[in-house]
Amino acid sequence: MVRVIMLSPPGAGKGTHSKWLTLQTGATHISSGDLLRDEVARGSELGRQVADYTERGDLVPDELIFRILAPAVVAAARHTGGYVLDGFPRTMPQALRAAQFGADLALTSNAVIYLTAPEEELVSRLLDRALRDGRTDDTLGVIRHRLAVFAKETAPLVDYYRSRGILLELSTDRPEAEVQADLLDWLQARGLMPPTAGHARPDHAQPAGANATEDL
Ligand code: ADP
């Protein structure tokens, strides 16, 4: 079963591809942003604590994120045995804590998908989404800030996971179907998804690092 981390700047398609992967695999989709927005909408104590951060486009403190995420990941593992983590981890301390947590509970992730697109494309997609979904953090100023926060806090995770051999970098500046075909190929080559009929890759085509140590 896949236990995947989706790593991407805002607007690169993290939500879209996470939902697609969830449908393909039967793993549980866990979106940190959705969980936070639910708390805010419900007006819970936790929601009140996180609202200022999410509205400004700042990261919510790691402790609060863990309080929300940990029960969801444990429940996911119990129900489906797999997860697609959409929006977490987002800082090095979160990644290190998640690795520890994953090791303790035998829930280590086995793939990290890093989605990319040119910055102006990201901005224009998020402004389009603002018209459709009305998210309060999809304004130009907050979008620029979220992109800067990604570059500073989250981008270092790319090298961290790449050095562990579990990272796939995918450009999403092309049709969704192409992105998904590449993603499927890679997961199948690593034995994380069953081969599609007539689409199996021979063993010798396994990419380098296919047997790398798992890490969350
Ligand atoms: P996007 O990727 O478009 O910024 P998300 O829905 O993933 O959207 O996140 C929205 C906001 O929720 C972030 O700007 C941040 O304030 C908060 N958030 C989500 N995930 C995390 C996390 N792992 N750590 C800290 N803050 C988070």
Side-chain angles (χ1 to χ4, degrees):
M1 181 55 98
V2 292
R3 293 189 299 277
V4 179
I5 292 169
M6 300 295 275
L7 196 62
S8 98
K14 189 159 46 65
T16 304
H17 293 294
S18 294
K19 283 181 198 130
W20 176 83
L21 198 52
T22 302
L23 288 175
Q24 296 296 308
T25 60
T28 308
H29 180 204
I30 302 172
S31 158
S32 54
D34 285 351
L35 290 171
L36 291 169
R37 282 183 286 278
D38 284 351
E39 293 288 338
V40 173
R42 287 198 295 118
S44 68
E45 174 58 32
L46 207 52
R48 280 195 291 277
Q49 291 181 55
V50 303
D52 283 350
Y53 297 97
T54 54
E55 266 162 37
R56 285 196 307 264
D58 281 327
L59 294 181
V60 169
D62 292 343
E63 280 311 310
L64 296 180
I65 285 293
F66 258 92
R67 215 187 297 166
I68 294 176
L69 261 284
V73 176
V74 173
R78 207 175 298 132
H79 289 133
T80 64
Y83 54 72
V84 179
L85 274 181
D86 166 357
F88 174 88
R90 234 164 161 120
T91 63
M92 270 314 286
Q94 285 182 16
L96 297 175
R97 180 108 175 251
Q100 187 58 52
F101 182 75
D104 290 348
L105 297 177
L107 289 177
T108 49
S109 64
N110 41 33
V112 178
I113 312 300
Y114 172 42
L115 303 177
T116 65
E119 178 147 337
E120 287 319 305
E121 174 65 22
L122 299 175
V123 173
S124 101
R125 286 184 195 171
L126 292 168
L127 290 175
D128 280 350
R129 184 174 74 184
L131 299 176
R132 280 197 319 273
D133 302 350
R135 250 176 69 171
T136 53
D137 58 348
D138 280 343
T139 59
L140 188 56
V142 178
I143 288 168
R144 295 264 182 226
H145 182 61
R146 279 155 57 212
L147 288 168
V149 169
F150 176 85
K152 180 162 182 273
E153 303 286 347
T154 312
L157 274 63
V158 173
D159 281 342
Y160 169 71
Y161 288 121
R162 187 181 278 127
S163 71
R164 279 159 179 73
I166 59 169
L167 186 108
L168 171 66
E169 179 169 342
L170 283 178
S171 163
T172 61
D173 195 19
R174 56 198 175 125
E176 265 173 41
E178 280 182 29
V179 178
Q180 289 163 351
D182 283 355
L183 180 49
L184 203 59
D185 266 359
W186 188 80
L187 291 170
Q188 288 174 333
R190 295 176 67 94
L192 295 172
M193 283 187 67
T196 318
H199 192 64
R201 271 192 216 202
D203 278 352
H204 59 77
Q206 289 252 344
N211 297 318
T213 318
E214 294 186 353
D215 202 348
L216 184 70

